Amino acid sequence: MRHAKSDRIALSVLGWTVALVMFFPIFWMVLTGFKTEAEAVATPPSLIFTPTLDNYADVQNRADYLKFAFNSVFVSLGSTLLALAFAIPASYAMAFFPTWRTKNTLVWMLSTKMLPPVGVLVPIYLLFRDTGLLDTRIGLTLVYGLINLPIVVWMLYTFFKEVPRDILEAARVDGARPADEIRHLLVPLSLPGIASTALLAIILSWNEAFWSLNLTASKAAPLTAFIASFSSPQGLFWAKLSAASTLAVAPILIFGWMSQRQLVRGLTFGAVK
Amino acid sequence: MTISIPIQPGRQVIRRGSRRRVRTLPLVAPSVLVLLLWMIVPLAMTLWFSFQYYNLLNPMLSGFAGLENYRFLLTDPALWTAMANTLILVGSVLAITIVAGVLLAVLYDQPFAGRGIARLLVIAPFFVMPTVSALIWKNMLMHPVNGIFAWITRSLGLGVVDWFADVPLLSIILIVAWQWIPFALLILLTAMQSLDNEQKEAARIDGAGPVAMFFHIILPHLGRAIAVVAMIETIFLLSIFAEIFVTTSGGPGLATTNLAYLIYSRALLQFDVGGGSAGGVIAIVLANIVAIFLVRTIARSLDR
């Protein structure tokens, strides 16, 4: 018994040490956001200080943080709604009326995810330039909607398959059309699944940084691109960088924690259960 | 709860089980079509540009280039440096994240006080946007004068490492590994939980110690999940861009230029559309080699 107890204590110590080490950069970022710029660069690192909210005010007043935050919200929500609008009918059809083509279609959709973005950077950039989509929220929304569509279809497909077929079949016998079936039965019945799919799509769009850095400038830049503007060597402001980063990371971190179990399903396309 | 279904008057009653009555094509077609456009059009354009002389700064130079862009790229030492950097980056991050992921999955599968919260803390880095992780690490942890690492090593009397000057690629590898360890952990932990308790119990009764248990029961069980982690990570790691963009811009020299960054700098900094596109084609071929294996594994899981 004594042996088991000391084992358990060792485990707790180890588990917590690893957790604190992994989390330390985030903790330090949050802490630095409440320091003055002088305290932020102090060595040895200052642990005792009077917290200040000045950085948060500065990030808004000097850099118009809210504009970039709005771009992020617009693009993440817009692209997620777009992907859902396309994916719900497709996943419904594939989950309830599989044909010999279904499996191939699903796998093919997935394979479009594996195209490295840099392989199509040049044409997309030129197409966006010529159609006036460069540095627009709509342009970025379209791109994110498309890159997330395969994951959304795939996740919804696995959730829809869990809905009892009998209920939908009974409705069909009563003469319900597919649109009614989706609206009045499927969506309400699989709402938790749709919600966690949407959450994953939002997380992925919010953190996407290849297309946002290449397709946006000052007007439509989301937070990923805004934070990148802190990388200029002249005048690094660690405390302000930390405050802006904390604001940018916090909402999505909470979303991520909420959806961690469904995340595995979405990220591995159901290959790990 | 009652759900009312609008009934179409005068519609013929459909026989139970006759599924073909619902036309699925109009439901699936929009998704397939937009994805097809999104994939085929830019892909065809990349391929087309890669055979053209096309420089945005020099409109006089145009026309069919044949394999000239490829010849130029393949004989350019920068490409091979970038390829080597890409492979080192992908290989090292894979090794670190999988070893750490397996060990942490075993650790966080054991019950201990506050495990739920500890797990949340460990997976947090995965949700931090890449530009934030890169800048926080570069400035506040790895800075040679004011960074935490420098302070720690100096306090221990070990001298100071100027991370991004002395070991730039390793610095990038550490940052990216920090972001992806949680991913490996999340997936492997899920796989751990499907391990049969009876099997573990039987092995324990047979006198298997923790080490034998790890190598003979746990590791084989995780095999498939490890393969999936490796393949998905490879797809993403081949395209690492933001972390390099905000920290080193590919430098010093070419020390941290990977294939993605090389193509970006050719096409959007030097405006060489033809050369950038040829690089794009090479990147696509590389990613496809991995993708074929991944798609097969996933397609197999569909049948189960």
Side-chain angles (χ1 to χ4, degrees):
Chain A
M1 257 347 258
R2 170 172 279 166
H3 181 67
K5 195 174 178 192
S6 71
D7 268 9
R8 180 136 338 150
I9 289 170
L11 258 169
S12 301
V13 171
L14 190 61
W16 273 95
T17 309
V18 171
L20 294 177
V21 168
M22 282 292 284
F23 193 72
F24 178 77
I26 300 173
F27 164 76
W28 197 245
M29 166 187 90
V30 176
L31 206 65
T32 308
F34 292 109
K35 295 177 180 176
T36 63
E37 291 295 349
E39 285 161 344
V41 295
T43 22
S46 53
L47 272 171
I48 297 151
F49 59 93
T50 340
T52 168
L53 287 172
D54 289 355
N55 300 310
Y56 287 89
D58 276 359
V59 164
Q60 173 52 28
N61 295 335
R62 290 199 205 162
D64 200 0
Y65 173 87
L66 285 179
K67 181 182 87 176
F68 302 104
F70 174 74
N71 288 342
S72 270
V73 171
F74 182 98
V75 169
S76 317
L77 290 184
S79 63
T80 301
L81 289 177
L82 189 70
L84 283 176
F86 277 90
I88 289 177
S91 306
Y92 158 79
M94 291 197 279
F96 295 105
F97 312 101
T99 66
W100 58 274
R101 265 180 279 128
T102 299
K103 192 182 142 188
N104 290 338
T105 311
L106 273 170
V107 171
W108 171 78
M109 283 187 169
L110 191 63
S111 70
T112 67
K113 264 314 283 174
M114 292 161 201
L115 196 67
V118 76
V120 292
L121 169 64
V122 177
I124 296 291
Y125 183 85
L126 294 176
L127 283 173
F128 267 49
R129 191 196 59 179
D130 296 343
T131 50
L133 283 172
L134 217 50
D135 200 16
T136 61
R137 285 189 288 268
I138 297 291
L140 205 58
T141 306
L142 288 176
V143 169
Y144 287 178
L146 283 164
I147 56 180
N148 285 338
L149 184 56
I151 294 190
V152 172
V153 168
W154 195 280
M155 262 181 101
L156 287 180
Y157 170 79
T158 62
F159 282 119
F160 287 173
K161 277 197 94 87
E162 288 167 10
V163 173
R165 312 179 65 101
D166 296 351
I167 300 179
L168 295 189
E169 248 161 50
R172 215 168 302 132
V173 171
D174 290 344
R177 290 169 308 150
D180 304 323
E181 229 178 278
I182 292 175
R183 198 171 326 131
H184 298 285
L185 280 175
L186 188 62
V187 169
L189 280 174
S190 49
L191 210 52
I194 295 176
S196 48
T197 308
L199 219 48
L200 176 65
I202 291 171
I203 293 172
L204 292 175
S205 305
W206 187 276
N207 286 345
E208 202 288 331
F210 179 78
W211 292 111
S212 71
L213 288 171
N214 280 309
L215 296 180
T216 65
S218 57
K219 239 173 54 221
L223 290 169
T224 44
F226 167 61
I227 298 291
S229 69
F230 278 89
S231 65
S232 69
Q234 56 268 32
L236 256 181
F237 300 105
W238 291 11
K240 284 179 199 63
L241 164 67
S242 299
S245 298
T246 303
L247 286 175
V249 167
I252 234 58
L253 184 54
I254 291 164
F255 278 8
W257 279 339
M258 277 161 48
S259 64
Q260 47 164 328
R261 270 213 72 83
Q262 277 71 32
L263 220 63
V264 174
R265 192 197 302 231
L267 291 171
T268 60
F269 311 104
V272 173
K273 277 166 199 150
Chain B
M1 187 178 75
T2 55
I3 302 165
S4 64
I5 309 294
I7 294 171
Q8 292 279 300
R11 215 158 183 259
Q12 177 188 355
V13 173
I14 298 168
R15 217 169 1 99
R16 199 183 167 83
S18 79
R19 291 177 191 158
R20 290 286 153 266
R21 286 298 170 125
V22 174
R23 294 182 53 229
T24 57
L25 194 65
L27 300 173
V28 182
S31 293
V32 172
L33 221 63
V34 291
L35 277 177
L36 202 63
L37 280 176
W38 165 248
M39 196 161 106
I40 296 294
V41 173
L43 213 56
M45 285 172 77
T46 299
L47 215 55
W48 170 251
F49 290 150
S50 76
F51 295 112
Q52 300 285 316
Y53 290 112
Y54 188 176
N55 192 311
L56 295 174
L57 290 182
N58 187 358
M60 300 297 288
L61 185 68
S62 64
F64 189 66
L67 293 171
E68 188 55 28
N69 286 323
Y70 289 96
R71 199 191 60 81
F72 183 76
L73 201 63
L74 291 171
T75 53
D76 183 354
L79 175 76
W80 300 104
T81 312
M83 288 275 233
N85 287 340
T86 306
L87 292 181
I88 295 171
L89 180 62
V90 174
S92 319
V93 174
L94 273 185
I96 297 172
T97 55
I98 288 176
V99 171
V102 170
L103 294 177
L104 292 186
V106 174
L107 174 61
Y108 288 104
D109 194 43
Q110 317 290 322
F112 63 81
R115 179 177 66 167
I117 295 174
R119 263 191 209 165
L120 288 182
L121 295 183
V122 180
I123 62 166
F126 188 63
F127 303 111
V128 176
M129 52 179 69
T131 46
V132 166
S133 332
L135 285 179
I136 296 293
W137 273 75
K138 183 190 178 189
N139 293 316
M140 284 147 60
L141 301 180
M142 291 173 158
H143 193 280
V145 180
N146 309 41
I148 297 276
F149 291 174
W151 174 70
I152 293 173
T153 52
R154 216 183 296 122
S155 311
L156 297 172
L158 293 171
V160 168
V161 181
D162 186 353
W163 289 87
F164 278 94
D166 298 341
V167 281
L169 193 55
L170 178 66
S171 309
I172 304 271
I173 289 169
L174 288 178
I175 297 174
V176 177
W178 178 72
Q179 293 174 291
W180 285 91
I181 286 173
F183 172 79
L185 170 63
L186 259 177
I187 305 223
L188 295 173
L189 203 53
T190 308
M192 276 294 277
Q193 282 153 2
S194 68
L195 182 58
D196 205 354
N197 262 331
E198 278 173 33
Q199 204 183 354
K200 271 199 278 190
E201 211 45 57
R204 201 169 293 133
I205 290 165
D206 287 346
V211 176
M213 186 86 103
F214 178 77
F215 282 105
H216 295 292
I217 307 281
I218 294 174
L219 217 47
H221 175 77
L222 291 181
R224 210 182 115 80
I226 291 174
V228 171
V229 169
M231 289 183 285
I232 293 175
E233 277 193 21
T234 307
I235 300 274
F236 283 99
L237 296 176
L238 280 173
S239 305
I240 288 290
F241 175 79
E243 290 83 347
I244 296 170
F245 179 88
V246 298
T247 55
T248 64
S249 304
L254 288 172
T256 54
T257 296
N258 67 351
L259 199 51
Y261 198 84
L262 182 76
I263 297 166
Y264 156 80
S265 74
R266 277 290 143 82
L268 297 192
L269 298 181
Q270 298 164 25
F271 302 106
D272 177 7
V273 172
S277 298
V281 172
I282 293 173
I284 291 169
V285 170
L286 225 86
N288 271 355
I289 296 170
V290 187
I292 289 168
F293 290 103
L294 178 57
V295 164
R296 268 205 207 136
T297 314
I298 290 169
R300 220 174 296 142
S301 78
L302 259 187
D303 294 330
R304 287 184 311 161

